[in-house]
Amino acid sequence: MNKILKIKKILIIAAIIAIILFILMLILFPPSRGRITNNNHAEVCEKTFLDINGTKLGMIIKGSKADNPVLLFMGGGPGIPEYWMEYEYPTGIDEYFTVCYLCYRGTALSYDPDLPLETITSEQMILDAAEVTDYLRERFDQDKIYLIGHSFGTTIALNLASEYPEKYEAYIAMGMSVDKIRSERKAYHYMLEQYKKEGNKKMISEMEQYYDLFSDESLEPDMSCEKMHSYFAKTRDKAMHENGVGTLHNMESVITGIFFPTLKMTDFTQKERLNIWKGKSFVSKAEISSGNFKAVDVTKQLDIPFYVLAGKYDMTTDYDLQKEYFKLVQADIKGFYTFENSAHSPLFEEPEKAKDILIKDVINKENDLADNF
């Protein structure tokens, strides 16, 4: 009898644990049909897939009115869809623009494990985005559209703005990538110094394992070497978010700030949410993720208005380097805007200020709200 009671007790405990785990799974990874949230009854609100240059590209398009100016959003990463940031930190820019959040080839909505890695290059992504630009221009009957790049997306968007000025009204750069190696070196030494001031022996020891990668300013480290991959995978993002210089100034961890929230985004199906992380891992093996981008090698002149949204605490793409490149670029109209309470994503950290800039300066091709140097 005691044996039977013991077995029943074990089964009850196991059932309770199973129920708790099931509830936790529903909370952290809720099922959904992946329909795009449309609480404001927007005229354009859809998930679209286009066959572009040998692959299927996914994108989300949202706009309160179909005749609003169109804004093509080239997100960061590559891997995490920019739409997730709008979902998690709503800005309301789709009230003034019809916004297209494009997922790069091989990532998120565009994930395809059979896509040859050799086709995942900057050059190909530029061509893809140019095709999507033409699709948007034709579909919404607009001769020119607006272009915004965030982080990695600025490496693609700057090329688009330089090569195809006839397609764009203006280019807005946010968290602008300028010189990958110089930026990473500055960030590394800053974070190491912060840990030394705090007396954080664990992180000092972890950071110093990679000291040789950034110690000699006369040498350019191999961004594709195994040790650099280890630094990025194990230490860099953790250190940036602990020091308030990462994705958001107040985001403390990639796991709690990005990973878990993306799994809960019900505008994507469960499969699409898993594909975010499958795609991020997939494209990390491609050449696109290891090169040393230098904005000056692309252009020092733009034939369209040029705007930069820069977070004061940004070291993912160094704030001072963004200002340095902005001053170098020749453009008839340009404006640089410092966000005092932001790091790498000022549109999502200080949305009201960013919307003011977009509505009053960018659309009107002015720079009245820009910083005075």
Side-chain angles (χ1 to χ4, degrees):
M1 180 64 72
N2 288 337
K3 189 175 181 180
I4 293 173
L5 289 173
K6 191 174 182 180
I7 292 172
K8 285 183 176 179
K9 187 176 181 181
I10 291 171
L11 289 174
I12 290 171
I13 293 172
I16 292 172
I17 292 172
I19 291 170
I20 291 172
L21 290 174
F22 180 70
I23 292 171
L24 283 173
M25 187 187 74
L26 291 179
I27 293 171
L28 295 174
F29 193 46
S32 78
R33 296 182 180 180
R35 292 175 179 169
I36 305 303
T37 304
N38 188 10
N39 295 330
N40 298 323
H41 307 291
E43 291 181 5
V44 183
C45 183
E46 64 188 54
K47 190 182 295 178
T48 299
F49 297 87
L50 300 176
D51 290 319
I52 301 284
N53 296 324
T55 191
K56 185 166 286 187
L57 295 183
M59 61 203 74
I60 289 171
I61 307 176
K62 292 187 75 171
S64 61
K65 296 180 181 179
D67 60 354
N68 274 347
V70 174
L71 176 66
L72 175 58
F73 212 132
M74 307 303 296
I80 307 300
E82 197 75 18
Y83 179 73
W84 166 74
M85 295 204 72
E86 178 62 32
Y87 179 91
E88 191 72 14
Y89 307 99
T91 65
I93 60 171
D94 57 3
E95 182 180 346
Y96 308 98
F97 295 90
T98 297
V99 189
C100 174
Y101 301 92
L102 173 64
C103 294
Y104 302 110
R105 57 173 48 225
T107 73
L109 295 177
S110 306
Y111 175 63
D112 177 3
D114 297 322
L115 191 66
L117 278 176
E118 60 268 22
T119 70
I120 303 176
T121 64
S122 293
E123 293 76 15
Q124 188 58 62
M125 289 181 175
I126 293 164
L127 293 174
D128 292 346
E131 290 285 333
V132 172
T133 295
D134 288 339
Y135 163 78
L136 295 170
R137 293 167 65 211
E138 181 177 356
R139 175 179 169 181
F140 293 100
D141 193 26
Q142 296 187 17
D143 186 47
K144 296 182 179 182
I145 67 172
Y146 290 84
L147 177 66
I148 185 169
H150 180 201
S151 192
F152 167 79
T154 65
T155 71
I156 306 300
L158 180 62
N159 278 277
L160 290 168
S162 176
E163 294 180 29
Y164 307 103
E166 72 281 1
K167 299 178 189 286
Y168 302 107
E169 294 281 6
Y171 167 46
I172 308 106
M174 174 172 65
M176 180 171 58
S177 183
V178 174
D179 186 319
K180 190 177 180 73
I181 289 175
R182 286 178 65 199
S183 183
E184 292 298 336
R185 182 180 283 119
K186 286 187 68 176
Y188 173 85
H189 287 293
Y190 170 81
M191 294 185 295
L192 179 57
E193 184 61 28
Q194 292 302 112
Y195 286 128
K196 287 180 177 178
K197 288 179 181 178
E198 297 167 7
N200 189 331
K201 294 180 180 179
K202 181 179 179 295
M203 285 306 296
I204 292 170
S205 175
E206 189 171 332
M207 292 285 287
E208 286 185 339
Q209 294 178 52
Y210 305 102
Y211 188 79
D212 60 298
L213 293 174
F214 304 103
S215 59
D216 191 341
E217 294 194 9
S218 66
L219 298 176
E220 290 196 354
D222 180 3
M223 299 300 290
S224 63
C225 72
E226 193 63 35
K227 193 168 185 178
M228 187 68 77
H229 279 303
S230 174
Y231 170 66
F232 271 74
K234 298 178 181 179
T235 303
R236 174 188 181 269
D237 283 354
K238 176 173 65 174
M240 284 198 165
H241 288 92
E242 286 180 353
N243 284 283
V245 296
T247 309
L248 306 175
H249 183 45
N250 63 358
M251 183 182 287
E252 297 178 355
S253 163
V254 172
I255 299 298
T256 59
I258 300 178
F259 179 71
F260 286 133
T262 57
L263 293 182
K264 293 191 290 185
M265 180 173 61
T266 53
D267 282 19
F268 280 32
T269 65
Q270 288 177 308
K271 182 179 179 181
E272 289 168 344
R273 279 172 265 162
L274 288 176
N275 283 347
I276 291 174
W277 295 96
K278 287 181 180 179
K280 184 169 176 59
S281 175
F282 180 58
V283 300
S284 70
K285 303 168 189 173
E287 184 181 346
I288 185 73
S289 300
S290 59
N292 174 32
F293 175 81
K294 291 183 179 180
V296 292
D297 292 342
V298 177
T299 188
K300 297 176 185 177
Q301 178 175 336
L302 287 171
D303 296 328
I304 59 175
F306 174 44
Y307 300 94
V308 178
L309 313 183
K312 178 181 176 180
Y313 295 98
D314 191 3
M315 295 201 80
T316 303
T317 51
D318 185 75
Y319 169 81
D320 291 327
L321 293 181
Q322 294 183 58
K323 186 182 291 187
E324 178 184 300
Y325 178 68
F326 170 82
K327 290 179 178 179
L328 184 67
V329 172
Q330 298 296 313
D332 288 342
I333 302 168
K334 64 178 187 175
F336 188 95
Y337 305 82
T338 297
F339 288 71
E340 297 289 341
N341 301 304
S342 298
H344 193 47
S345 310
L347 171 62
F348 304 104
E349 298 178 83
E350 298 178 62
E352 293 307 315
K353 176 175 179 175
K355 280 194 295 185
D356 263 358
I357 293 164
L358 292 173
I359 297 163
K360 296 177 181 177
D361 275 7
V362 175
I363 287 180
N364 293 314
K365 294 182 172 58
E366 302 287 351
N367 56 11
D368 296 335
L369 302 178
D371 295 359
N372 292 317
F373 295 134

